[in-house]
């Protein structure tokens, strides 16, 4: 069930038209002006909050977490940006890649969840 929900979320993020509100990697790295730079950082902070809220909901309802960040850790905006940009570099992401996906993947890289005994790795 959780994989279906995650797949539906990823499909919704990747199927959105280019003119939508999603922030793409190229526009994040090269904002048109200071207002866009500020908006991009606010957007990334919102994505972080959404991912954290989703994880909290999954934890409360016994679902498989998206990532396993320590409970006592608070990420700054700078740390969030660093995780997203490292994820982009690791994947050689193209400019039209949605930064929300890059942050999700980066959070999974940075804070992986332990696999239950007997579960195969790389099955996602």
């Amino acid at each position: 069930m959780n994989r279906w929900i995650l797949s539906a979320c990823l499909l919704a993020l990747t199927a959105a038209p280019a003119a939508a509100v999603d922030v793409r990697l190229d526009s994040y790295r090269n904002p048109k002006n200071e207002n866009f730079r500020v908006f991009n950082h606010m957007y990334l902070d919102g994505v972080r909050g959404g991912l954290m809220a989703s994880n909290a909901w999954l934890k409360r309802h016994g679902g498989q977490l998206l990532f396993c960040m320590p409970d006592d850790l608070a990420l700054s905006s700078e740390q969030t940006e660093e995780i997203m940009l490292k994820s982009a570099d690791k994947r050689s992401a193209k400019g039209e890649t949605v930064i929300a996906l890059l942050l999700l993947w980066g959070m999974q890289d940075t804070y992986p969840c332990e696999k239950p005994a007997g579960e195969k790795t790389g099955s996602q």
Side-chain angles (χ1 to χ4, degrees):
M1 177 74 171
N2 290 330
R3 287 183 189 257
W4 181 87
I5 292 170
L6 180 58
S7 296
C9 290
L10 292 176
L11 178 61
L13 286 172
T14 58
V21 184
D22 293 328
V23 175
R24 310 292 172 158
L25 182 60
D26 191 46
S27 63
Y28 188 89
R29 283 186 167 158
N30 305 299
K32 293 180 182 178
N33 58 44
E34 181 63 14
N35 288 338
F36 278 94
R37 189 190 69 73
V38 170
F39 169 79
N40 289 344
H41 286 118
M42 289 173 43
Y43 178 87
L44 188 61
D45 282 342
V47 170
R48 177 191 61 209
L51 290 173
M52 303 282 277
S54 296
N55 233 21
W57 187 90
L58 288 167
K59 186 174 186 176
R60 181 173 182 184
H61 291 88
Q64 181 179 347
L65 299 181
L66 302 172
F67 51 89
C68 294
M69 193 171 100
D71 290 334
D72 61 346
L73 182 64
L75 288 179
S76 69
S77 295
E78 292 80 15
Q79 290 168 318
T80 302
E81 180 180 57
E82 183 180 336
I83 288 170
M84 185 274 294
L85 291 173
K86 280 184 180 180
S87 174
D89 291 343
K90 176 180 178 178
R91 292 165 175 82
S92 301
K94 305 287 186 223
E96 56 280 346
T97 306
V98 177
I99 66 168
L101 287 175
L102 292 170
L103 181 58
L104 171 60
W105 295 330
M107 294 293 280
Q108 290 172 334
D109 294 341
T110 307
Y111 306 108
C113 298
E114 291 183 22
K115 302 284 184 199
E119 184 177 318
K120 295 180 183 178
T121 57
S123 61
Q124 293 180 347

